Every structure is written in C-alpha cells, then in structure tokens.
Amino acid sequence: MTRHQLTEEAKPPLVPIRQLSLRFSSTRRGARLARQLAVQQITEWTGLPYDSDPARTVALVTAELASNAVRHGSLPGRDFRLTLLLLPGLLRVEVTDTRPERLPPPMPPQPADETSGRGLLLVQACAGRWGYAVRDAYTKTVWAEVPLRPSGP
C-alpha cells in the first residue's frame, strides 16, 4: 500500500450529498449496531437492495473498521464514532476511536495458519480507497470509500 492511500490526500474535499454521524459503545454489540445502521442508511439513501454488492461491501467494511475500533482502539468508558458520507458515486465510511497512537499496521502477508489479522486486507480488497487520519491528540479516524456501482447481471 502506498503512502497516499494511508493518509488523506491534499485535494479539495468533496461536499457530501448526505451525512450521518453517531456514537456507539466500544463493545461487540456497538460494532454490530454500527454495521446494521450503515447497511440501513446506504439502502435508504441510494435505493439499492440489501443484497446488492455495494450494500454487502459497506457491511463488511463497516464491520471490520468498527471491530478494529472496539478491539484495538478503545479505552474504558470511551465510545467510537461512525460517520457515513454519501458522496457522488461512493459512500465513505469513517470510524473514529480513542487511540491515536495505535495506527493501522503496514500490510505484510499473513501466515496461512493465523486465525486473525486479515480485516484490513479485506477492507483494502473491497474498498476503492482506504486510509487513516490523526487530527488531534485524542482520536484517530480510519476510513474507506466504497464505490456505489450497481451489481452486474
């Protein structure tokens, strides 16, 4: 993965068509609710069916980012934030946690016998782009952009 994919590029930001931001408890239940909300919002905003490729990709990406926030980015008593930005032709999923010192690792190949550690590889494979941003001393945001092309026949 190149450096420009890991940090936000210096270009004019796109203005979101729609935006939603909610906080969830840093628990497995919170991660599950974030995934369900993301799928519900993409289907409401775009009219795509729940079983469309973009909706499934949003579910996977949100589940991985929220799970990582709960597992690796949480502090006791602190929530994580899910932000969904509907942009022209894509949905940007952002998950903000409270551990800015714990950045996503570089992407070395995982040994075949490992039982975890492939979540960001899935995000990289499914999302158009992904990366992270540390904007202050208290939080980090990991984001992924999912293209909203309709699934083929």
Side-chain angles (χ1 to χ4, degrees):
M1 177 163 294
T2 61
R3 176 103 177 122
H4 77 279
Q5 289 174 302
L6 291 177
T7 58
E8 295 191 69
E9 298 174 4
K11 64 180 181 179
L14 293 173
V15 177
I17 298 168
R18 299 217 170 141
Q19 179 174 343
L20 176 72
S21 188
L22 290 172
R23 288 175 35 182
F24 293 90
S25 63
S26 289
T27 62
R28 289 176 28 196
R29 181 174 187 263
R32 185 181 76 246
L33 292 172
R35 177 185 51 82
Q36 291 171 341
L37 173 78
V39 173
Q40 177 69 31
Q41 280 307 134
I42 187 177
T43 59
E44 282 186 24
W45 286 346
T46 65
L48 292 168
Y50 284 98
D51 62 349
S52 67
D53 287 341
R56 289 179 182 169
T57 301
V58 166
L60 182 141
V61 165
T62 304
E64 291 300 334
L65 297 183
S67 174
N68 283 349
V70 169
R71 188 172 213 189
H72 305 292
S74 66
L75 290 170
R78 304 287 302 272
D79 298 337
F80 73 90
R81 183 177 62 234
L82 171 70
T83 301
L84 303 172
L85 301 162
L86 181 62
L87 299 163
L90 63 92
L91 182 80
R92 182 175 171 122
V93 178
E94 298 181 348
V95 175
T96 303
D97 66 45
T98 56
R99 298 295 298 267
E101 75 281 3
R102 288 190 169 179
L103 299 177
M107 295 301 191
Q110 295 291 322
D113 59 347
E114 289 291 325
T115 59
S116 66
R118 293 183 182 85
L120 288 178
L121 290 173
L122 290 171
V123 171
Q124 180 179 357
C126 294
R129 291 183 335 135
W130 79 277
Y132 64 86
V134 177
R135 296 187 181 105
D136 59 42
Y138 307 105
T139 62
K140 106 174 143 290
T141 300
V142 182
W143 56 268
E145 295 176 347
V146 177
L148 296 179
R149 62 194 180 293
S151 58

